[in-house]
DNA sequence: GTATTCGTTGAAAACGAATTTCAATTACAG
DNA sequence: CTGTAATTGAAATTCGTTTTCAACGAATAC
């Protein structure tokens, strides 16, 4: 058993000659419940139930998640890296309200297609992308 | 006299009750010659001719450039903020090679239009955006 | 012009997030 | 089991960003 992400992660761990640990399992489990946690966010989120998991371990786990492809690193302009679970569903992008911090996710296949065209015209192979629209949400403007 | 960016900057400085200084003029001039400098890049770039301009001053100037709209802050995944001159208010996006670090700029008005549509459907007012495509350039793949 | 005011400067210190160090611990192959 | 090598958590370190502060300098008033 295990979720889609757990399977990918465990396979990656095995392939790299790394080790499965209870901490990593717990961190992954909690990570998948959150939206765009920074290391600090996730660490705090675990803190109540697992006082014994250290900040460094959380951060190291997040980097592994990014390496094995179940998370991507994002940066919304506050000074911290945020890690986002790449859920089985499609890639999505973000609308970020610069006033209140609201983040709305969206996806648009036409934009994705145009991106592929652009890349092709520059002989580029696209592996990943980031699209963020910054502005004011309905309530803030 | 003065470039487009100089005029905007000077007006902003005046409007805010700040002061025009020789350092700021020099920093702006050099900034406009570069592509995506980090504070460190620009500081080093000035170093040869102006040993007397400090790192903090360079960084403070860059933040002012971003505030007054002649520069935007970017983040390409190395741990440093990069400041990009907003030339001729023509927005452009980036193809980033994750292997060799090559950065190709492009623009695509169809993508921009679709972005506006997406924002509108969420009652968002877009003030700025970032689009980066990460992958391998022709030589690296 | 001169004085006064208040923003600016540069060096150094402080800050904060990311990363590394290290001794103790633990997973797991043999 | 046992030995080996990866992992852990706390603390230390690194590195980019930001702030502090005394000296300085630009703009305004006189």
């Amino acid at each position: 058993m295990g979720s889609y992400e757990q399977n990918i992660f465990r396979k990656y761990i095995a392939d790299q000659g790394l080790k499965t640990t209870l901490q990593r399992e717990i961190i992954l489990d909690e990570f998948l419940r959150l939206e765009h946690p920074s290391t600090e966010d996730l660490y705090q989120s675990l803190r109540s139930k697992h006082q014994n998991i250290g900040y460094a371990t959380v951060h190291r786990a997040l980097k592994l998640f990014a390496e094995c492809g179940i998370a991507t690193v994002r940066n919304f302009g506050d000074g911290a890296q945020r890690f986002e679970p790449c859920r089985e569903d499609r890639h999505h992008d973000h609308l970020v309200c610069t006033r209140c911090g609201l983040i709305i996710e969206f996806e648009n296949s036409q934009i994705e297609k145009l991106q592929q065209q652009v890349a092709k015209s520059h002989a580029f192979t696209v592996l990943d992308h980031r699209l963020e629209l910054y502005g004011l949400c309905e309530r803030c403007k």
Side-chain angles (χ1 to χ4, degrees), chain A:
Chain A
M1 294 305 97
S3 68
Y4 172 75
E5 288 85 357
Q6 270 178 339
N7 291 333
I8 293 184
F9 183 56
R10 286 177 183 155
K11 179 166 182 355
Y12 180 78
I13 290 291
D15 289 351
Q16 300 288 312
L18 306 178
K19 290 173 181 173
T20 299
T21 67
L22 184 57
Q23 286 94 328
R24 285 175 177 165
E25 298 284 320
I26 292 171
I27 294 169
L28 175 54
D29 192 56
E30 186 68 20
F31 172 60
L32 294 176
R33 297 180 204 282
L34 303 177
E35 289 289 330
H36 312 276
S38 62
T39 300
E40 182 64 25
D41 289 342
L42 182 48
Y43 175 65
Q44 287 304 334
S45 185
L46 287 161
R47 197 113 190 62
S48 55
K49 283 191 184 291
H50 306 278
Q51 300 83 349
N52 49 325
I53 294 183
Y55 181 96
T57 302
V58 174
H59 189 258
R60 284 186 281 231
L62 283 170
K63 290 209 303 182
L64 284 175
F65 299 163
E67 276 173 43
C68 75
I70 62 175
T72 54
V73 184
R74 300 210 165 253
N75 194 307
F76 294 136
D78 58 343
Q81 295 180 339
R82 295 184 167 277
F83 296 80
E84 173 168 82
C86 305
R87 303 222 165 70
E88 260 179 290
D89 55 356
R90 318 276 254 113
H91 182 88
H92 62 265
D93 299 306
H94 298 90
L95 280 158
V96 181
C97 179
T98 52
R99 178 178 288 270
C100 71
L102 174 71
I103 297 173
I104 296 177
E105 300 180 349
F106 70 90
E107 61 177 87
N108 185 301
S109 59
Q110 292 180 70
I111 292 179
E112 312 258 327
K113 261 181 215 148
L114 286 168
Q115 287 175 3
Q116 289 300 333
Q117 280 180 24
V118 168
K120 198 175 171 189
S121 74
H122 289 279
F124 237 81
T125 303
V126 175
L127 300 175
D128 192 12
H129 73 263
R130 305 288 142 80
L131 171 59
E132 281 113 38
L133 308 181
Y134 295 89
L136 297 175
C137 71
E138 189 164 19
R139 295 177 57 198
C140 287
K141 65 186 160 197

